[in-house]
Amino acid sequence: MTILERCGAQAPTQESRPWPRAVVDADGWRFAASQLAEGLWELLALWAEAYVVHSAVRDPASGEIAVLSLPCAHGGYTALAQWHPPAMRLERTIRDLFGLEPIGLPDARPWLDHGRWGVKHPLGTAQSTAPEPPGYQFLPAEGEGLHQIGVGPVHAGIIEPGFFLFTANGETIVRLEERLGYVHKGIEGLMVDSDLDRAIQLAGRTSGDSTVAYAYAFAAAAEAALEIDVPPRAILLRALMAELERIANHLGDFGAICNDASFAVMHAQCGILRERVLRAANACFGHRLMRDRIVVGGVTADLNKDGRAVLRGLLGEITRRLPRLAELYDKTASLQDRTVGAGVLNPALASQYACGGYIGRASGRNFDARKVIRYAPYDQLVFEVPVLAQGDVNARVWIRIREIEQSVAIIRQILDRLPEGELRAAVSQTDTSREGAAAVEGFRGDIFVWMRISAVGAIERCHLRDPSWFQWPLLEAAIGGNIVADFPLCNKSFNCSYSGHDL
Amino acid sequence: MRNILLESFRGALTEAPPDADGAMLAELANSLNERARERLGRSLSIRQVDAGSCNGCELEIHALNNAFYDLERFGLRFVASPRHADVLLVTGPVTKNMREALERTWAATPDPKWVVAVGDCARDGGMFAGSYAVVGGVSAVIPVDLHIRGCPPTPTQLLQGLIALLQDKKPRNNCEAAL
Ligand code: SF4
């Protein structure tokens, strides 16, 4: 039986691609919650529209994905988080943005809404309010000898804003509580009624470090909805850009993690390599971060002969230097002393949260959308997905090193087989509204996008789920028992996105 | 280790400094105060504030510290606290949820101070202008001395802007009160 059948769903909507979507009733929703709670299914995403909540779930045994929709006629629905905690912040967000009450939600506090927008439920009924920030109630911490340290939202470095409240016993962190939402820009609100050209630019500005991956995911969802066949050359160029982005980010973070362990040499070396990647990207595609190069239907930048030579040179340099940096990392006792055993994420939590990216894979979760969902062109490329079980900072570093190697191999294959041909397919008009979804593996993990496009080609609703949604809560778990001074190191090894999460 | 170190010193990576950008110099012509310049000499401490960015601008600001751009050779360095800063380097459309934090950071920065708004978003909200969650550009919240455009601006563009800030000596009228 399919997921939808097991939930007693109505017949799936006709317009939804590639995964089916269907309306379920409260019992079907409850059944899905129990499957999630037992760890039989995974929650990929949870989002809302004015009077309906949607959840995308995946059965890891069969690989099947389906979208369940529960109408909320009375403005409320059964909260999944009472059985499946990974839904918690998503349901707080649904309440903030749409005013739909997650009934039974164990946390009554707002999440993205800090009381400063001048409007309540901006994507739902949208009532104007006087901006009157209410105080935020952090969880109580009681016990002898406990003290609290609050940090943020502006941090002492070049990083994004967020607030962290540490409760510590001496040097040891007893609890970390995050408060996010500071960089909420209302991207999903801006999307509504945008045409696809503008909407994909917004998607590419959701988390700047993943601008390629976001545009890639957005384009894939739109192309699924509109049944557009992307030209083969464009499919490969997209993957090439995505792998360059992955390498650049992994290099930057590898150096930055070592820097947080006071090993500046690695930071300098990785910084040089990262800069070379960005320069190669600029030389090949005309933008260092390759922003706005992926569009619905294809790509806007081509790779010429000079570009190929630049990339081959770059891959050669990475192949020469990376093994030596990895060896240096491995043999430097002072580094190992900080990273081995620090910030351990329990594999059971990684699996419960369906935590993606290097965080999940360093804690035994063998999921990489390129391999598992096998979207083109990765179904044709040979690469491995490194997985480790230790779950500490060290494991996350090694996953990144191994992934750089795999990305280099992928780019080589792409260069070898890049066919001549068109860069962009025409975007056809449809006479009905269409729905599409996609999951694309960014450097940080799988980015999930769902959208409905109107008959005139405007966005009716688009949801962008950053991998950080299922990673931020795990940072809270992983940091417990570590010393306060190790927080920057552990945090950097997670490197969750604030902007991608706050949206 | 020794090999890695030696290899990296073979041949200089550091780029020749870019010329200050003409348009930026013109904007600055109205914004800098000679007395302040004399007091500070050719050195500025910079505090970066993300007021709502997508984090793309931060990536390129980070790149200023790599061996190619090596910001510190110009006497420019990033500091951890606004209390130690001469310059606030602000990115992003200012979100409503960050407005107060930005105002407080500005208030905590001692005079004389300059504000450099980095990126198209910081100029006028960029693509996020008009959102219920966004105030707009940085100048909607605190006075701005210099805008560096781009999405994100390249490290070279950032350097041009910051060097312009160091070079320009003309007085800034509306800044008198703050000095
Ligand atoms: S200017 Fe561009 S890179 Fe900078 S914050 Fe805005 S969208 Fe991101």
Side-chain angles (χ1 to χ4, degrees):
Chain A
M1 281 205 341
T2 65
I3 290 176
L4 291 177
E5 284 164 357
R6 297 188 65 194
C7 295
Q10 299 171 9
T13 54
Q14 292 302 304
E15 302 80 17
S16 193
R17 296 184 179 83
W19 302 308
R21 179 177 77 79
V23 172
V24 296
D25 62 14
D27 289 341
W29 188 258
R30 221 8 259 278
F31 175 76
S34 68
Q35 295 289 102
L36 291 169
E38 286 171 41
L40 299 170
W41 292 352
E42 293 175 336
L43 184 66
L44 279 188
L46 180 61
W47 70 101
E49 294 183 77
Y51 293 103
V52 56
V53 283
H54 305 286
S55 66
V57 297
R58 176 174 174 270
D59 179 349
S62 64
E64 187 195 351
I65 294 172
V67 179
L68 313 174
S69 303
L70 178 69
C72 326
H74 305 292
Y77 70 98
T78 307
L80 293 179
Q82 36 191 339
W83 302 284
H84 190 59
M88 185 84 77
R89 290 175 179 179
L90 290 159
E91 297 195 310
R92 289 167 71 186
T93 299
I94 286 173
R95 180 169 51 204
D96 287 355
L97 298 182
F98 291 89
L100 298 175
E101 182 59 33
I103 296 159
L105 190 72
D107 196 328
R109 299 172 299 169
W111 181 240
L112 297 184
D113 185 354
H114 293 193
R116 296 171 187 268
W117 298 334
V119 58
K120 258 179 120 55
H121 315 140
L123 302 185
T125 46
Q127 307 137 9
S128 298
T129 55
E132 189 69 40
Y136 186 75
Q137 287 290 316
F138 284 92
L139 299 175
E142 285 160 19
E144 219 170 300
L146 295 184
H147 63 109
Q148 292 193 312
I149 312 163
V151 187
V154 178
H155 295 152
I158 305 170
I159 21 173
E160 301 179 75
F163 191 89
F164 299 123
L165 183 66
F166 298 95
T167 304
N169 188 346
E171 276 300 300
T172 308
I173 299 170
V174 179
R175 183 166 68 208
L176 161 65
E177 188 179 355
E178 298 155 358
R179 186 184 186 204
L180 302 174
Y182 290 92
V183 291
H184 176 72
K185 294 180 268 298
I187 293 176
E188 293 188 347
L190 289 166
M191 285 258 182
V192 176
D193 292 336
S194 294
D195 62 18
L196 294 178
D197 289 342
R198 175 175 150 84
I200 197 169
Q201 289 183 1
L202 282 165
R205 285 160 178 77
T206 304
S207 184
D209 51 16
S210 307
T211 183
V212 172
Y214 263 95
Y216 197 163
F218 182 97
E223 288 150 6
L226 302 172
E227 295 178 279
I228 297 170
D229 283 325
V230 180
R233 186 175 176 85
I235 291 179
L236 283 166
L237 286 176
R238 284 180 177 180
L240 195 154
M241 290 188 236
E243 298 310 316
L244 282 176
E245 181 176 85
R246 192 180 326 277
I247 294 174
N249 281 303
H250 281 352
L251 282 170
D253 287 350
F254 178 26
I257 292 166
C258 296
N259 202 39
D260 277 336
S262 299
F263 202 69
V265 170
M266 197 77 88
H267 188 228
Q269 294 288 342
C270 289
I272 293 167
L273 274 185
R274 177 184 155 86
E275 178 68 20
R276 294 220 192 274
V277 177
L278 300 190
R279 288 176 175 213
N282 192 41
C284 294
F285 301 111
H287 191 284
R288 287 162 54 89
L289 305 182
M290 298 166 284
R291 176 163 270 161
D292 300 335
R293 270 31 185 188
I294 294 180
V295 288
V296 177
V299 295
T300 58
D302 202 1
L303 182 68
N304 59 24
K305 201 157 138 274
D306 295 345
R308 285 179 198 233
V310 166
L311 288 179
R312 293 215 188 263
L314 172 74
L315 299 182
E317 175 159 13
I318 295 173
T319 315
R320 266 195 318 280
R321 288 186 177 259
L322 185 66
R324 306 168 73 169
L325 296 180
E327 189 190 344
L328 177 60
Y329 170 77
D330 199 32
K331 292 205 169 135
T332 303
S334 68
L335 264 176
Q336 296 285 310
D337 190 43
R338 295 287 304 278
T339 61
V340 175
V344 175
L345 172 64
N346 182 338
L349 279 175
S351 141
Q352 183 188 19
Y353 277 72
C355 169
Y358 44 82
I359 302 174
R361 293 191 283 274
S363 288
R365 180 165 182 263
N366 189 357
F367 181 94
D368 182 318
R370 294 174 296 172
K371 205 61 156 187
V372 172
I373 297 178
R374 290 177 68 77
Y375 54 93
Y378 294 98
D379 52 342
Q380 308 285 327
L381 299 168
V382 181
F383 63 102
E384 283 164 24
V385 174
V387 178
L388 292 169
Q390 289 84 346
D392 55 1
V393 174
N394 183 48
R396 290 188 283 276
V397 168
W398 276 112
I399 296 282
R400 294 202 190 224
I401 295 171
R402 295 288 170 246
E403 288 186 4
I404 297 171
E405 296 166 355
Q406 294 301 316
S407 293
V408 167
I410 290 173
I411 295 176
R412 286 214 166 97
Q413 293 171 55
I414 292 175
L415 291 178
D416 286 345
R417 65 171 68 167
L418 192 63
E420 294 302 323
E422 294 295 308
L423 293 179
R424 187 173 187 185
V427 177
S428 47
Q429 289 284 333
T430 58
D431 42 12
T432 51
S433 78
R434 300 287 194 92
E435 295 174 14
V440 159
E441 191 74 19
F443 86 98
R444 184 179 278 120
D446 49 297
I447 294 164
F448 178 92
V449 174
W450 179 89
M451 66 181 69
R452 183 185 299 111
I453 307 171
S454 74
V456 294
I459 295 288
E460 283 180 7
R461 171 84 176 97
C462 177
H463 175 60
L464 309 156
R465 196 270 296 137
D466 196 89
S468 304
W469 280 98
F470 299 127
Q471 297 170 337
W472 274 120
L474 299 181
L475 177 62
E476 290 184 344
I479 199 66
N482 287 259
I483 59 173
V484 178
D486 271 349
F487 177 72
L489 178 71
C490 297
N491 187 26
K492 195 74 219 172
S493 78
F494 270 62
N495 191 20
C496 302
S497 174
Y498 299 71
S499 184
H501 165 281
D502 292 356
L503 208 57
Chain B
M1 169 95 183
R2 188 167 168 272
N3 283 344
I4 288 174
L5 283 176
L6 288 177
E7 195 177 282
S8 61
F9 292 131
R10 228 177 275 148
L13 296 169
T14 319
E15 308 237 306
D19 288 336
D21 182 83
M24 291 179 188
L25 276 174
E27 184 182 1
L28 277 167
N30 301 318
S31 76
L32 279 186
N33 181 290
E34 182 132 20
R35 274 182 303 150
R37 278 275 307 114
E38 280 164 5
R39 246 165 78 184
L40 294 164
R42 201 173 185 280
S43 155
L44 287 175
S45 295
I46 304 171
R47 178 70 177 86
Q48 199 267 334
V49 184
D50 175 346
S53 113
C54 78
N55 80 29
C57 281
E58 278 64 31
L59 293 176
E60 294 297 52
I61 293 172
H62 262 295
L64 290 174
N65 281 323
N66 76 31
F68 292 84
Y69 304 106
D70 187 20
L71 190 70
E72 292 214 13
R73 71 190 146 130
F74 302 109
L76 299 163
R77 63 194 184 101
F78 288 103
V79 293
S81 166
R83 299 198 190 283
H84 303 153
D86 310 305
V87 176
L88 292 183
L89 200 62
V90 187
T91 61
V94 182
T95 62
K96 292 194 179 162
N97 287 354
M98 273 305 286
R99 176 186 196 133
E100 183 187 336
L102 176 61
E103 286 167 343
R104 287 170 66 168
T105 306
W106 188 79
T109 309
D111 289 325
K113 59 190 163 196
W114 291 271
V115 175
V116 178
V118 170
D120 291 345
C121 291
R123 192 164 168 275
D124 58 7
M127 288 206 75
F128 306 106
S131 165
Y132 64 86
V134 165
V135 181
V138 176
S139 62
V141 178
I142 55 175
V144 172
D145 298 282
L146 173 68
H147 289 95
I148 304 178
R149 301 194 59 171
C151 180
T154 63
T156 307
Q157 289 169 321
L158 289 167
L159 269 185
Q160 285 173 332
L162 291 170
I163 290 170
L165 195 65
L166 279 170
Q167 282 177 0
D168 195 278
K169 294 188 174 179
K170 299 208 179 111
R172 174 191 172 187
N173 301 329
N174 60 354
C175 188
E176 286 292 318
L179 295 168

